[in-house]
Amino acid sequence: MLSTVGIPTLLGLCFNILVALALPVAVLIWLAVRRRALVWPFLSGALTFIVTQMLLRVPLLSWLGTTAWFTAFTMVQPVVYSLLLGLSAGVFEECGRYAAMRFTLRGKQSWQAAVAFGLGHGGIEAVMVVGLNNVALLAASIAAPGFYPLPAAGEVFMAGTERLFTLLAHVGWSVMVMRAVQRSKPGWLGLAVLLHGLVDGLIGILQMAGLGIYGIEAYVALCGLGMLAYTIVTIRREALHENENNAPAETG
Amino acid sequence: MKMKTMRLLKRVSALLCLLLCAAVLAGCTALPEGVDAGVIEEKAKQAVDLVNARDFEGLIASMREDAQEVADPEAWAAAVNPTLDEAGAFVEYTGTSVAGQEQEGEKFVAAVVTAKYENANLVFSLAFDADSQLTGFWVRPG
């Protein structure tokens, strides 16, 4: 029955579903049970992804793809196109994050909210880009093995792994944008846009340079870990700052 | 220190934006010397007309010699016919655009033709060399 779809490939699909569907749902349930105040920031992050990407950026890019001038531009300027594509993700998602944090998280702007926001944002992206697709692929692979051609098992695992590191990056960008909101310093928003744009834009350029899937995923992992380091450093500093500010109020 | 960092960030951001704009403006539409955009547009539409007539042998015959050698009319028909079947009858051309670029030392021209069909819009992308000879052809729903 499973002769045309190997067990490692099926395990890869299960891993992707675990990471890109079960994990975001589990985080949401955990927040609902243990940290109810962070449920709204999580949902706000998810909603921001749906609005800025699914309702705004993707339709805009789809429309541009139907125009002759833009298609010609993508053919003659693939590197600039890749950078613009990345930068557009940065502009839409980070500005959306900024607006959502400013207007939907009034009175709840904290680093904890930023982390929950990032988990919601990256979580829904994982669900929509990988999770649901992999559920369908797993069902199809079991019902009709070999009907849908799948890549090698190692490459299947990469989809879920990439989502994990992307989630870390989204948490980092959320913490960065929260800094812009809390301190009224748009420079942090600019930095988030720029970093998001560069991280996304360089993926296309590295592909053009001939880097294979494992090289690309290593690059994504590096970016995710970089953003994790930024998140940890910022949170430790913010927690220290909060403790200093809260101490007199609590004792007084 | 923080103010300095913010100022530096602003300057770096502005510089990157300027560089990006310069890159877009610099290489976007420069056609190779001697290439006429009007001629390319006309040739591109002629190629699309051949596709609409499902004359893939004619289309391949209009290409540069080395491109003809690797093109198989039957494979092209198998790849393109389902798209044409779904799109239905050709209605009209809706847009054309021509842009030039140099890649690995060879100058080429990209031409894009958009067209309306009964049930869909199609985007045709064509590549020409510096002598205005067709070297590549792609079609996708738009």
Side-chain angles (χ1 to χ4, degrees):
Chain A
M1 176 83 177
L2 299 177
S3 58
T4 50
V5 184
I7 296 293
T9 304
L10 290 178
L11 285 176
L13 291 173
C14 292
F15 170 74
N16 292 345
I17 292 166
L18 210 65
V19 166
L21 186 63
L23 181 66
V25 172
V27 170
L28 178 60
I29 292 170
W30 184 83
L31 288 177
V33 174
R34 293 286 180 92
R35 297 285 192 94
R36 196 161 287 183
L38 296 179
V39 170
W40 174 239
F42 182 94
L43 293 176
S44 179
L47 204 65
T48 302
F49 175 82
I50 293 171
V51 171
T52 57
Q53 280 283 16
M54 312 312 282
L55 299 181
L56 295 174
R57 181 173 171 263
V58 171
L60 176 69
L61 289 174
S62 298
W63 172 76
L64 282 172
T66 66
T67 63
W69 67 270
F70 189 76
T71 310
F73 164 71
T74 64
M75 287 173 75
V76 298
Q77 291 289 346
V79 172
V80 180
Y81 168 63
S82 184
L83 281 175
L84 277 179
L85 208 61
L87 207 60
S88 71
V91 168
F92 276 83
E93 287 189 62
E94 301 315 320
C95 291
R97 232 189 279 263
Y98 182 85
M101 285 178 175
R102 200 161 165 199
F103 299 112
T104 72
L105 300 185
R106 272 194 185 139
K108 296 171 188 164
Q109 292 155 352
S110 62
W111 64 262
Q112 294 97 326
V115 171
F117 190 98
L119 289 171
H121 194 109
I124 194 74
E125 185 183 44
V127 170
M128 296 181 97
V129 174
V130 173
L132 296 176
N133 287 344
N134 277 252
V135 169
L137 277 175
L138 182 67
S141 299
I142 291 169
F147 188 74
Y148 292 99
L150 287 167
E155 291 181 18
V156 173
F157 271 98
M158 285 299 111
T161 313
E162 182 190 276
R163 285 304 108 195
L164 273 180
F165 290 113
T166 311
L167 199 65
L168 296 179
H170 276 298
V171 170
W173 288 321
S174 295
V175 170
M176 202 172 269
V177 173
M178 183 59 88
R179 258 185 142 173
V181 174
Q182 280 181 312
R183 298 179 184 189
S184 299
K185 283 187 174 170
W188 286 107
L189 170 65
L191 184 65
V193 169
L194 208 65
L195 277 177
H196 194 151
L198 278 177
V199 167
D200 282 17
L202 279 177
I203 290 174
I205 294 170
L206 291 173
Q207 276 172 338
M208 277 178 247
L211 201 66
I213 183 166
Y214 296 107
I216 297 288
E217 297 310 333
Y219 161 74
V220 173
L222 206 68
C223 295
L225 291 174
M227 290 311 295
L228 175 68
Y230 166 79
T231 303
I232 291 170
V233 169
T234 307
I235 282 177
R236 286 175 82 169
R237 206 175 288 168
E238 293 291 319
L240 204 69
H241 188 68
E242 274 178 22
N243 284 344
E244 282 170 5
N245 282 352
N246 291 341
E250 280 169 9
T251 52
Chain B
M1 180 65 185
K2 278 180 184 170
M3 283 298 287
K4 274 184 186 173
T5 312
M6 293 304 289
R7 237 177 269 155
L8 185 70
L9 281 175
K10 276 181 192 169
R11 280 177 191 169
V12 170
S13 307
L15 189 68
L16 277 168
C17 289
L18 273 175
L19 280 174
L20 203 62
C21 292
V24 172
L25 290 172
C28 194
T29 55
L31 289 177
E33 213 174 305
V35 171
D36 186 324
V39 171
I40 294 288
E41 280 184 14
E42 202 48 49
K43 282 192 166 193
K45 282 184 179 173
Q46 282 169 5
V48 176
D49 287 341
L50 288 170
V51 173
N52 285 334
R54 307 200 185 213
D55 181 3
F56 295 102
E57 284 186 3
L59 174 67
I60 290 169
S62 73
M63 297 179 83
R64 198 170 70 183
E65 217 164 284
D66 58 341
Q68 284 182 34
E69 285 168 13
V70 293
D72 173 16
E74 280 181 21
W76 280 40
V80 178
N81 277 340
T83 307
L84 291 176
D85 290 341
E86 258 182 56
F90 172 80
V91 177
E92 60 177 347
Y93 288 115
T94 52
T96 51
S97 186
V98 174
Q101 179 60 290
E102 192 172 324
Q103 210 170 55
E104 290 163 8
E106 194 185 353
K107 288 176 179 171
F108 79 95
V109 180
V112 177
V113 177
T114 53
K116 187 179 174 188
Y117 288 73
E118 232 170 19
N119 311 318
N121 295 316
L122 295 182
V123 179
F124 296 90
S125 304
L126 303 96
F128 292 87
D129 65 9
D131 297 323
S132 304
Q133 281 196 296
L134 183 63
T135 57
F137 182 92
W138 303 266
V139 57
R140 64 172 169 84

